[in-house]
Amino acid sequence: MTSRDGGNTAWVLDPILEVPHVVAAVLLTRDGLVRGYTDALSQASGERVAAITSTVQGACRTAAAAFADREGAEIRQVVIESDHGYVLIVPTDHGTCVAAYGDTEVRLDLLAHRVHSQVARLGEKAMAAAPRGVDGGAPA
């Protein structure tokens, strides 16, 4: 299984699919645009998952802030448990998010570990690709 998109996000999503009982995964922007999705999803399903995931993240940030009685809150992960399985949503520090779905047999600890590891790798790659100064050297 590989991710389907215009770029190359398979390196992010494919390791998540290696966790037993993981069915699908999506890489999306914080505002709900699809960056990549796995073969178990159609394009329409990937886009729908991305839009819903973005909305869920926003609601969770608002709820966390309300409970803390503070302005704004960043979330580290969202776990949704249903009678069909689990959805794990993990945002990155650079405006993207990974959402993964495992059936009822998935080990949530393994799924969480793998998704968080991939999110960390995304962050490392984003930092490595940070723009340089105009002269091509280190930033001023």
Side-chain angles (χ1 to χ4, degrees):
M1 292 186 185
T2 59
S3 62
R4 298 188 280 180
D5 69 328
N8 181 14
T9 59
W11 71 270
V12 177
L13 300 178
D14 284 350
I16 296 168
L17 292 176
E18 294 171 1
V19 175
H21 302 286
V22 170
V23 177
V26 176
L27 176 65
L28 60 134
T29 62
R30 189 172 185 166
D31 58 353
L33 300 176
V34 175
R35 300 267 321 268
Y37 55 95
T38 56
D39 287 341
L41 299 170
S42 66
Q43 182 175 350
S45 292
E47 290 172 356
R48 187 171 58 245
V49 166
I52 292 166
T53 298
S54 177
T55 302
V56 167
Q57 284 186 92
C60 289
R61 281 191 302 274
T62 302
F67 274 110
D69 198 23
R70 296 194 172 121
E71 293 292 319
E74 289 303 317
I75 55 171
R76 293 187 182 101
Q77 71 179 12
V78 176
V79 178
I80 301 169
E81 181 180 2
S82 77
D83 56 348
H84 300 290
Y86 298 89
V87 177
L88 179 68
I89 303 167
V90 179
T92 69
D93 291 336
H94 58 280
T96 59
C97 172
V98 175
Y101 170 71
D103 67 22
T104 57
E105 299 297 315
V106 73
R107 283 198 40 202
L108 193 54
D109 60 334
L110 294 179
L111 176 57
H113 176 74
R114 184 65 54 90
V115 172
H116 281 276
S117 294
Q118 291 307 102
V119 164
R121 289 185 64 205
L122 267 170
E124 290 168 5
K125 190 165 186 162
M127 291 303 291
R132 298 281 200 180
V134 266
D135 64 355

